[in-house]
Amino acid sequence: MVYLKAFLVGGLLCAFVQIFIDKTKLMPGRIMVGLVVIGTILGFFGVYDGFIDFAGAGASVPLIGFGNTLMNGVKEAIDNDGILGIFIGGLKASAVGISGALLFGFLDSLVFKSKMKG
């Protein structure tokens, strides 16, 4: 049941964002940055952690969850390192995800040939 809930919640989040991308004239990159900012704001107020407890990976994997991860890392680093935590907390908390994205992006570039849209 946990997998089904994560699939449904994550799918609904992604479907909503895709509809938003299709129905607005905003560039997809701006929408993605907006999702990270929304996740950061919800993480700051402590709202998003409850949503992650409910939906699991369905809430933590999308970009909104990435913003929440950044915010939680900054909060923790500020508690441990003081003001310096603002600069190191987000990167420390999300290093594994960022490294994985870079690694798999690189491997993808070795396997597939990129093309410009024409």
Side-chain angles (χ1 to χ4, degrees):
M1 198 63 173
V2 172
Y3 296 118
L4 180 63
K5 193 184 323 180
F7 176 77
L8 291 175
V9 171
L12 286 173
L13 279 173
C14 293
F16 173 74
V17 171
Q18 186 62 51
I19 291 168
F20 190 72
I21 289 171
D22 292 343
K23 297 294 181 185
T24 64
K25 294 188 185 293
L26 292 172
M27 298 295 290
R30 291 183 181 197
I31 294 171
M32 301 305 165
V33 169
L35 291 170
V36 174
V37 170
I38 290 169
T40 303
I41 292 169
L42 292 174
F44 177 78
F45 291 112
V47 176
Y48 205 76
D49 288 329
F51 187 50
I52 289 176
D53 290 341
F54 168 74
S60 63
V61 171
L63 277 175
I64 299 174
F66 179 67
N68 181 60
T69 300
L70 291 173
M71 188 67 231
N72 286 338
V74 169
K75 279 183 190 176
E76 184 180 323
I78 288 174
D79 290 341
N80 295 335
D81 303 323
I83 197 76
L84 189 60
I86 292 172
F87 303 105
I88 62 173
L91 291 174
K92 200 177 204 182
S94 61
V96 172
I98 293 170
S99 298
L102 288 171
L103 174 67
F104 288 112
F106 174 71
L107 294 175
D108 185 53
S109 73
L110 295 176
V111 175
F112 299 101
K113 203 175 212 181
S114 63
K115 299 180 229 170
M116 294 296 290
K117 286 185 175 182

